[in-house]
Amino acid sequence: MIIAAIVLLIVLALMGAPLFAILLAAAAIGFFTQETPLSVLHIDIYQLSDSVVLMALPLFTFAGFLLSESRTADRLVRLSQAAFGWMPGGMAFVALVACAFFTALTGGSGVTIVALGALLLPALVKAGYPQRFSLGLVTSSGSLGLLLVPSVPLLIYGIIAQQLSQQLTMPPVEIVDLYLAGVGPALLMVVLLYGYCVWVNRADPLPRQAFNGRELGQALWDARWELPLPLVVLGGIFSGFLVVSEAAAVTVLYVLLAEVVLYREIPLRRLPGLTREAMVMVGGILLILAVAQAFADYLVYAGVPERLFEFIQTHVQSKLAFLILLNILLLLLGALLDIFAALVIMVPLILPVALRYGIDPVHLGIIFVANMQIGYITPPVGMNLFIASYRFRKSITELFRATLPFMLVLVIALLLITYVPELSLWLVR
């Protein structure tokens, strides 16, 4: 009977059944085999409400929807171009900076390609960059901001890790530490990608945009209400004046004031629709997180992490070899699963094993999200490839060839992030 239920579950998963249903059913089957009352599922699901940072998720998501609905993207590109267009490969650097910050503010990689693609791709081609290079740059830059505050994937990793800390008797992972740890790796990725952009175009120097103080001043004035936003979030969180959920509430209030009242780009009648769209997305994430908590509790109760650790330790002796296998596994998962699905399924399995190898849980979170970031441009399920294909009307294979060099640069950055923990932990410590 149990075997039939497992086979049925696998078939349903392959047929595209919702992730929350698969996880909940797997937890129920697992507890049933352990002869544990299934009422424990309700307790496990309810435990999610104990998370003190849970409120930050819908608030940051709503703020991202508001920013993507306004003309923030236009102002951000203009400001970046005025500030950095004079540099060697200035337009490429503009694309990297604009994509990183827009993804950080909105929390959506695909949103960045849709919102900035129409601005950046023609600008890059006009500046003299080859079409294929420009396509690869814009597509691969769409997920650069996933390590920057207020990163939703890092927030979700932190929530899952905090829930697991109760079973693993480890200190809770602080969301602030995750945000601090993401700064260095995000900057490293931008710097390496910029270096590649300059190097690949070295034989044919591209014209630079002359620095214009007047244009920079005008761009700063146009973005005057949005520029303080990162300072509000970062200053509030890192100063200790605000906890993450309070900073999220302040962020939403500030964005509403800026985009609805000051810029007047979002009419009041549009707010109910935007709220509904954002909360539908949040509801799906919360539902998955809740059932993932039950699934994680079953794994810990059944001793799966311990058996997995014993198996890995038998074949993998060193921390270095484990990290190599971990990166390979996460890169494969990133190519097959959405980042949120990968987080809720794999973190409960990987975190207990990584702790046994002496890997800092904050460092593990950065490694996890950095791998998933590369997965956005990796076939067969790389989301950015599909969104860019629709946005730019190019084939998936053409876009993959265009992004391949940038992916290799990001893999080099990933190796440095993985094997030099201080890149992530120096600010935390």
Side-chain angles (χ1 to χ4, degrees):
M1 178 180 174
I2 299 299
I3 295 176
I6 294 173
V7 171
L8 177 60
L9 198 60
I10 294 173
V11 171
L12 290 173
L14 294 175
M15 291 175 62
L19 177 62
F20 79 89
I22 298 298
L23 288 175
L24 187 60
I29 293 172
F31 280 123
F32 181 77
T33 59
Q34 298 287 325
E35 298 183 353
T36 302
L38 295 186
S39 58
V40 73
L41 291 173
H42 302 87
I43 300 172
D44 288 336
I45 290 172
Y46 181 75
Q47 283 180 357
L48 184 67
S49 62
D50 292 338
S51 175
V52 295
V53 298
L54 188 63
M55 186 56 67
L57 179 59
L59 291 172
F60 277 139
T61 302
F62 182 48
F65 268 73
L66 290 171
L67 288 167
S68 63
E69 184 77 7
S70 66
R71 295 184 59 220
T72 300
D74 299 32
R75 287 186 288 272
L76 187 57
V77 169
R78 182 185 179 187
L79 177 59
S80 302
Q81 194 165 1
F84 306 115
W86 56 272
M87 297 168 56
M91 194 58 220
F93 190 68
V94 166
L96 292 170
V97 171
C99 287
F101 276 100
F102 192 75
T103 303
L105 291 175
T106 61
S109 177
V111 175
T112 299
I113 293 177
V114 172
L116 295 185
L119 300 172
L120 291 175
L121 184 61
L124 286 164
V125 174
K126 186 178 179 181
Y129 291 92
Q131 175 84 5
R132 181 170 167 178
F133 173 88
S134 303
L135 279 170
L137 177 60
V138 173
T139 304
S140 56
S141 300
S143 57
L144 276 180
L146 292 180
L147 287 170
L148 294 173
V149 63
S151 165
V152 173
L154 283 180
L155 180 63
I156 291 176
Y157 172 86
I159 293 173
I160 297 173
Q162 286 179 357
Q163 297 296 321
L164 284 171
S165 66
Q166 300 172 13
Q167 289 89 12
L168 301 176
T169 62
M170 71 173 193
V173 176
E174 298 294 338
I175 306 297
V176 174
D177 290 346
L178 287 169
Y179 285 156
L180 281 171
V183 174
L187 291 176
L188 174 67
M189 288 183 169
V190 171
V191 169
L192 289 183
L193 285 171
Y194 172 61
Y196 169 74
C197 292
V198 174
W199 178 80
V200 79
N201 291 290
R202 67 194 183 283
D204 184 20
L206 296 166
R208 307 183 194 179
Q209 174 181 304
F211 180 78
N212 188 324
R214 193 171 195 177
E215 170 64 14
L216 178 59
Q218 186 60 50
L220 285 168
W221 176 253
D222 288 347
R224 64 193 180 278
W225 301 119
E226 287 153 336
L227 286 178
L229 180 57
L231 299 178
V232 171
V233 180
L234 295 171
I237 293 176
F238 297 149
S239 68
F241 184 73
L242 299 173
V243 298
V244 173
S245 55
E246 292 170 342
V250 171
T251 299
V252 169
L253 183 61
Y254 186 91
V255 171
L256 277 171
L257 179 65
E259 306 302 339
V260 177
V261 178
L262 299 174
Y263 283 122
R264 298 183 180 179
E265 291 176 350
I266 301 178
L268 287 173
R269 65 179 181 275
R270 181 73 179 99
L271 286 180
L274 275 176
T275 305
R276 180 182 178 279
E277 294 169 20
M279 293 309 107
V280 166
M281 178 179 176
V282 170
I285 295 174
L286 290 178
L287 185 57
I288 292 173
L289 282 176
V291 298
Q293 173 65 36
F295 182 66
D297 280 356
Y298 160 69
L299 293 177
V300 174
Y301 179 78
V304 173
E306 286 78 8
R307 291 199 291 271
L308 182 61
F309 173 72
E310 291 171 3
F311 174 80
I312 294 175
Q313 194 177 41
T314 304
H315 301 86
V316 180
Q317 302 298 324
S318 70
K319 175 180 175 180
L320 179 65
F322 171 74
L323 287 171
I324 292 173
L325 291 176
L326 177 63
N327 275 330
I328 293 173
L329 172 64
L330 291 179
L331 285 172
L332 290 174
L333 284 174
L336 297 171
L337 294 176
D338 175 75
I339 187 170
F340 300 120
L343 281 167
V344 299
I345 293 172
M346 296 308 300
V347 171
L349 281 172
I350 292 174
L351 181 57
V353 177
L355 290 174
R356 299 287 188 91
Y357 279 95
I359 298 170
D360 190 291
V362 172
H363 183 213
L364 179 67
I366 301 303
I367 293 173
F368 203 110
V369 175
N371 273 281
M372 295 298 107
Q373 181 174 310
I374 297 174
Y376 271 103
I377 53 173
T378 307
V381 191
M383 185 191 303
N384 282 7
L385 292 177
F386 287 96
I387 293 175
S389 175
Y390 175 78
R391 185 69 183 82
F392 304 131
R393 297 182 181 179
K394 303 290 182 180
S395 68
I396 298 292
T397 54
E398 182 179 355
L399 284 167
F400 177 63
R401 287 195 298 268
T403 57
L404 187 58
F406 298 95
M407 183 193 300
L408 296 177
V409 174
L410 289 174
V411 169
I412 293 172
L414 173 64
L415 293 175
L416 290 172
I417 292 166
T418 302
Y419 302 117
V420 186
E422 289 304 317
L423 285 171
S424 303
L425 301 177
W426 66 282
L427 273 178
V428 179
R429 292 174 177 170

